């Protein structure tokens, strides 16, 4: 029995790196999805803003529906190859075969094809992609409490995972900047300007293919270098049938329905939802804010997000010692203060120039990195030793964030002052207000939830 449930599970640095590499493909695709999808559909392909928002909403709803279902099925999957790694492999294949079609014009369409028909075309690949993304994400997150046991190790493994997320975003924005740079240097077409348009279709297609090839290699590293434990591969019956001498010390085994009776489950879910809304909506609208509000050249949609994630990467290196010193909750609060600093700066500085936006981007990047890692660490803390139903918990958390982000995007797109590909003068203030009020408002909601956690700490209260 002790062989299958050791008192302290830990990983070597090499194994931690191999584990963290398992979400790299997802991170590369997510970076392109949130940062470039709206601007690609609207400014490059010429979709109306509402249609662009609908496609992003379809993706978020598909992801949101899939995450708890994948989590539930992952917890029940027989562990031949490893129940988590089996779903990870399935998700990876779905992402690789569907994502190239999203950042490519409709292959079966022509100039007379109505936009609603193109929405149907793209939505098919978007749903396949989001299913694969959800399967990879949930299976990867569910491995954290199974690979390590102590709270500090969970924080560190989550930080490794986020470090790879940051590297993935840096990779996307660096390659995008290089592609924009080479396009400008080799420009012999007078139609290529500093504004986005149909001439940029090959650039985004090339970017997507490079990211898929790179991510596939990292997924291979994960599958070769990560060993799923025997207890995580279908031998939970040994955990739930302890010997008589161990019955007094045995913990209750949680099924998915038991989590729904836990107050901490809802506390962490709401906090995680707010965290993801801050991270994803700011990432989604930073590009249109830069091009439509600040009127910066299109290469800034690579440079500024790159600055954000470099600051987030530096910040992630200090998270383990800081969280051990002041605690996870207070570290999360520090991250919220940085996000509120960004929102206040954008709202107050109405004439923000190219120089000032770098400072604001550093605040947002550091704050987003901090709250994301800490919220995931809180989720791992909630699961604790109940790893047999951990995928359901992560799936439920992701469901709230995906639906909230999708609804948020469609609401913002529906109240946009103009729906054509040209941006009217009102859009200048509109996107500035979106960046300030959405990040700031959600950060306030997250702070209120955090205070409830400080009063009623995260723990399982019912047997």
């Amino acid at each position: 029995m002790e062989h299958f449930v050791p008192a302290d599970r830990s990983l070597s640095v090499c194994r931690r790196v191999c584990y963290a590499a398992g979400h790299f493909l997802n991170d590369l695709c997510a970076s392109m999805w949130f940062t470039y999808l709206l601007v690609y559909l609207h400014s490059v392909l010429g979709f109306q803003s509402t249609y662009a928002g609908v496609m992003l909403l379809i993706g978020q709803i598909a992801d949101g529906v899939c995450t708890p279902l994948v989590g539930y099925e992952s917890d029940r999957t027989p562990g031949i190859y490893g129940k988590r790694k089996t779903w990870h492999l399935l998700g990876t294949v779905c992402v690789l075969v569907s994502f190239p079609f999203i950042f490519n014009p409709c292959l079966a369409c022509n100039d007379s094809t109505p936009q609603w028909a193109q929405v149907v075309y793209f939505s098919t690949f978007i749903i396949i992609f989001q299913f694969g993304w959800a399967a990879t994400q949930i299976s990867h997150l569910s491995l954290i409490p199974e690979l390590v046991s102590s709270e500090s190790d969970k924080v560190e493994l989550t930080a490794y995972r986020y470090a790879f997320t940051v590297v993935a975003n840096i990779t996307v924005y660096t390659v995008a900047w290089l592609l924009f740079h080479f396009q400008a240097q080799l420009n012999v077409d007078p139609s290529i300007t500093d504004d986005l348009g149909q001439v940029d279709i090959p650039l985004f297609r090339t970017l997507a293919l490079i990211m898929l090839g790179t991510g596939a290699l990292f997924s291979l590293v994960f599958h070769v270098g990560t060993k799923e434990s025997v207890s995580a591969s279908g031998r939970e019956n040994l955990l739930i049938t302890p010997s008589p001498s161990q019955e007094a010390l045995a913990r209750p085994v949680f099924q998915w329905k038991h989590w729904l009776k836990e107050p901490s489950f809802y506390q962490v879910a709401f906090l995680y939802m707010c965290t993801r809304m801050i991270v994803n909506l700011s990432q989604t609208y930073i590009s249109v804010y830069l091009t439509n509000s600040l009127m910066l050249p299109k290469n800034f949609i690579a440079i500024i997000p790159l600055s954000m994630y470099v600051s987030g990467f530096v910040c992630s290196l200090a998270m383990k010692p800081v969280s051990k010193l002041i605690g996870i909750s207070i570290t999360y609060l520090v991250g919220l203060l940085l996000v509120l600093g960004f929102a206040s700066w954008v709202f107050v500085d109405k004439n923000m120039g190219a120089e000032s936006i770098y400072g604001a981007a550093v605040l947002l990047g550091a704050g987003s990195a901090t709250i994301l890692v800490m919220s995931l660490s809180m989720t791992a803390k909630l699961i604790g030793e109940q790893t047999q139903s951990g995928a359901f918990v992560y799936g439920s958390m992701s469901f709230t964030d995906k639906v909230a982000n999708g609804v948020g995007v469609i609401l913002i797109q529906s109240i946009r002052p103009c729906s054509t590909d040209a941006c009217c003068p009102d859009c200048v203030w509109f996107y500035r207000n979106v960046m300030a009020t959405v990040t700031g408002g959600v950060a306030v909601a997250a702070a209120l939830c955090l205070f409830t956690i400080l009063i009623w700490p995260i723990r399982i209260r019912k047997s």
Side-chain angles (χ1 to χ4, degrees), residues 1 236-251 253:
M1 194 68 60
E236 284 86 356
N237 59 309
L238 295 173
L239 292 175
I240 63 178
T241 56
S243 63
S245 62
Q246 293 176 312
E247 287 182 356
L249 299 176
R251 293 178 177 268
V253 176

Side-chain angles (χ1 to χ4, degrees), residues 207-220:
L207 179 62
L209 293 176
I210 292 174
M211 294 306 106
L212 287 175
T214 305
L217 292 177
F218 278 83
S219 294
L220 179 63

Side-chain angles (χ1 to χ4, degrees), residues 101-221:
F101 294 94
I102 298 175
F103 281 90
N104 203 47
C106 175
L107 299 179
C109 304
N110 52 45
D111 294 339
S112 62
T113 303
Q115 287 196 352
W116 66 264
Q118 297 185 53
V119 170
V120 174
Y121 169 87
F122 281 107
S123 296
T124 303
F125 296 105
I126 286 173
I127 291 172
I128 297 172
F129 162 68
Q130 291 293 359
F131 168 78
W133 201 97
T136 304
Q137 180 202 32
I138 298 306
S139 58
H140 194 256
L141 282 171
S142 302
L143 279 171
I144 293 177
E146 295 180 356
L147 295 176
V148 294
S149 55
S150 70
E151 185 174 315
S152 62
D153 283 341
K154 291 175 183 177
V155 172
E156 185 173 28
L157 197 58
T158 305
Y160 268 83
R161 186 178 184 275
Y162 184 74
F164 267 80
T165 300
V166 173
V167 172
N169 281 274
I170 290 173
T171 302
V172 170
Y173 302 137
T174 300
V175 174
W177 177 81
L178 289 173
L179 291 174
F180 280 123
H181 177 73
F182 290 142
Q183 182 192 63
Q185 292 295 316
L186 302 175
N187 180 21
V188 294
D189 186 350
S191 64
I192 298 179
T193 66
D194 281 339
D195 298 324
L196 289 167
Q198 288 191 349
V199 293
D200 296 304
I201 289 175
L203 187 149
F204 283 98
R205 179 171 56 227
T206 302
L207 179 62
L209 293 176
I210 292 174
M211 294 306 106
L212 287 175
T214 305
L217 292 177
F218 278 83
S219 294
L220 179 63
V221 170

